[in-house]
Amino acid sequence: MSFRNYKDKIEEGDTVILYLSNNLYALDVQREIKNKKGEMIENVYQTPFGALKVKTLIGADYGTKIELTKGWGHVLQPTPELWSLTLPHRTQIIYTPDISMILLQLDLVPGCVVVEAGTGSGSLTHALIRRVRPHGHVYTFDFHEHRAKIAQEEFKDHGLADFVTAKHRDVLAEGFDKDLNGKADAVFLDLPSPWLGVPHALAAIKEEGGRFCSFSPCIEQVQRTCLALQEHGFQEITTMEVLQSEIKVSRRTVPVRDLSFLKQKSSISPVEEKPSSETSYVVGALPQSNPGHTGYLTVATLPPVYVRGKSKKDDDNISSENGEKMVVDENV
């Protein structure tokens, strides 16, 4: 239950993050576990720095330094960011740089209702839950039955079942639940063909309007999604790519030559070849290489119902005046 609320003490049943020399491990705090024979034995977790008897963590403070047989580490409170770095990779993971931008672009606040298609490993879902709690809700769907079932179990084990509904469903073929029509403040799609999900997103978003976001690795997917959004009355369509770049700050010593002799018209003394002093500077340098491409985020706004028809009519008039119409190549 350690994901539900921040607390000081570790309790049995919690999920904790074990920090060992820049490596992170997710660990379930249980006194005993079953071995391959089905027998209950003491839970001993093996690490690169030796064995850890898990029962010794019960009652300890989060952030505590723990002793191992060959070293030591720290036990940390789990967060969506740390969970993303340690969770089992059932699908491609969306990491913190993209997640933070998604939460910002969807305009989420506590109390919002979010619909997500493509649960995957649940990395983004954990962050969505934290943003809309305590009165909001996340509805997440995955077409893979086994992944959907594992995600349901994880949300329950983490104490988040009250804030999320995870279901097995092929959204592109069946759409979202009819009960969700007109109830969502925002919709997020992480699907192979997000443009096919745009009509279902339109049906799910509230009459007052809302936000849309999709994650796609290929620009061809982005093109077709943008055309579908435009066709269904979405506005403010924008595509962006999030690349994280860290500036390395260091101190460098630079040799300085004394050039005071240049103030004189002539100088009998020859110029010294060696620098006469040194000066230290704090400098920042960009990395030699940037992180690779992850995916494109396409975001859009769906205006209120009373504006949608008017906006679509205005767009048609503009297209008629210009004599041009945007088309998409079906072979892309």
Side-chain angles (χ1 to χ4, degrees):
M1 299 296 183
S2 45
F3 277 85
R4 189 180 182 96
N5 296 303
Y6 288 102
K7 52 187 179 181
D8 298 327
K9 301 289 184 179
I10 300 174
E11 300 176 1
E12 187 171 4
D14 284 355
T15 298
V16 300
I17 304 297
L18 190 61
Y19 176 82
L20 300 175
S21 184
N22 293 326
N23 293 317
L24 299 172
Y25 305 90
L27 176 63
D28 293 327
V29 181
Q30 301 289 345
R31 295 179 182 271
E32 296 181 334
I33 57 174
K34 287 185 179 181
N35 61 11
K36 294 181 179 180
K37 298 180 180 179
E39 302 171 343
M40 297 302 296
I41 60 174
E42 183 180 5
N43 188 4
V44 179
Y45 188 77
Q46 300 294 334
T47 75
F49 297 92
L52 168 65
K53 293 185 177 181
V54 178
K55 65 180 181 180
T56 61
L57 298 178
I58 301 175
D61 292 332
Y62 278 104
T64 298
K65 180 179 178 180
I66 57 172
E67 296 291 338
L68 303 171
T69 55
K70 299 180 182 178
W72 53 270
H74 288 86
V75 59
L76 307 177
Q77 176 88 29
T79 64
E81 292 78 15
L82 294 177
W83 178 247
S84 297
L85 297 174
T86 59
L87 59 78
H89 287 206
R90 297 185 288 272
T91 59
Q92 178 186 0
I93 302 296
I94 299 180
Y95 289 103
T96 302
D98 287 314
I99 289 177
S100 60
M101 182 59 70
I102 292 169
L103 298 180
L104 172 67
Q105 294 296 331
L106 289 181
D107 293 339
L108 297 179
V109 296
C112 284
V113 175
V114 188
V115 176
E116 177 191 20
T119 309
S121 298
S123 172
L124 174 62
T125 313
H126 279 78
L128 292 173
I129 293 171
R130 183 177 62 180
R131 180 60 68 92
V132 303
R133 289 173 56 189
H135 304 300
H137 202 85
V138 177
Y139 295 89
T140 181
F141 302 88
D142 200 291
F143 78 96
H144 194 282
E145 185 175 3
H146 181 63
R147 286 202 298 262
K149 183 178 180 181
I150 293 178
Q152 291 174 355
E153 295 174 354
E154 282 184 351
F155 297 140
K156 183 178 180 180
D157 293 340
H158 295 169
L160 302 175
D162 296 342
F163 312 109
V164 60
T165 300
K167 292 184 178 182
H168 163 237
R169 191 179 184 89
D170 186 353
V171 171
L172 295 181
E174 305 173 17
F176 302 112
D177 286 343
K178 293 183 179 180
D179 295 339
L180 293 178
N181 287 348
K183 292 187 176 180
D185 295 285
V187 173
F188 175 80
L189 303 181
D190 183 6
L191 302 171
S193 306
W195 58 92
L196 298 179
V198 171
H200 305 310
L202 176 66
I205 294 177
K206 292 180 177 180
E207 293 185 355
E208 296 85 353
R211 293 284 285 172
F212 170 92
C213 180
S214 68
F215 180 90
S216 300
C218 301
I219 195 64
E220 291 80 8
Q221 295 170 304
V222 172
Q223 291 174 329
R224 302 191 69 168
T225 302
C226 289
L227 290 173
L229 289 169
Q230 185 182 42
E231 180 182 352
H232 288 85
F234 285 81
Q235 301 178 5
E236 301 176 353
I237 303 172
T238 306
T239 297
M240 62 192 71
E241 182 181 21
V242 180
L243 295 177
Q244 187 176 14
S245 181
E246 181 180 359
I247 296 178
K248 299 293 184 181
V249 178
S250 61
R251 182 175 290 275
R252 294 185 180 180
T253 301
V254 180
V256 178
R257 188 184 301 278
D258 185 6
L259 301 178
S260 58
F261 70 92
L262 296 176
K263 297 180 181 180
Q264 302 176 6
K265 293 183 179 180
S266 61
S267 178
I268 301 176
S269 303
V271 178
E272 295 183 4
E273 295 295 333
K274 296 183 179 180
S276 56
S277 63
E278 293 182 344
T279 302
S280 181
Y281 296 96
V282 176
V283 298
L286 292 172
Q288 296 181 353
S289 61
N290 286 323
H293 168 75
T294 57
Y296 299 104
L297 297 177
T298 300
V299 296
T301 299
L302 183 66
V305 172
Y306 66 88
V307 180
R308 297 176 196 175
K310 182 179 179 181
S311 300
K312 185 174 178 56
K313 186 176 180 180
D314 293 341
D315 291 341
D316 292 340
N317 292 336
I318 294 174
S319 298
S320 300
E321 292 175 0
N322 295 335
E324 297 178 354
K325 185 176 181 181
M326 186 178 291
V327 296
V328 60
D329 185 356
E330 295 294 338
N331 295 321
V332 174

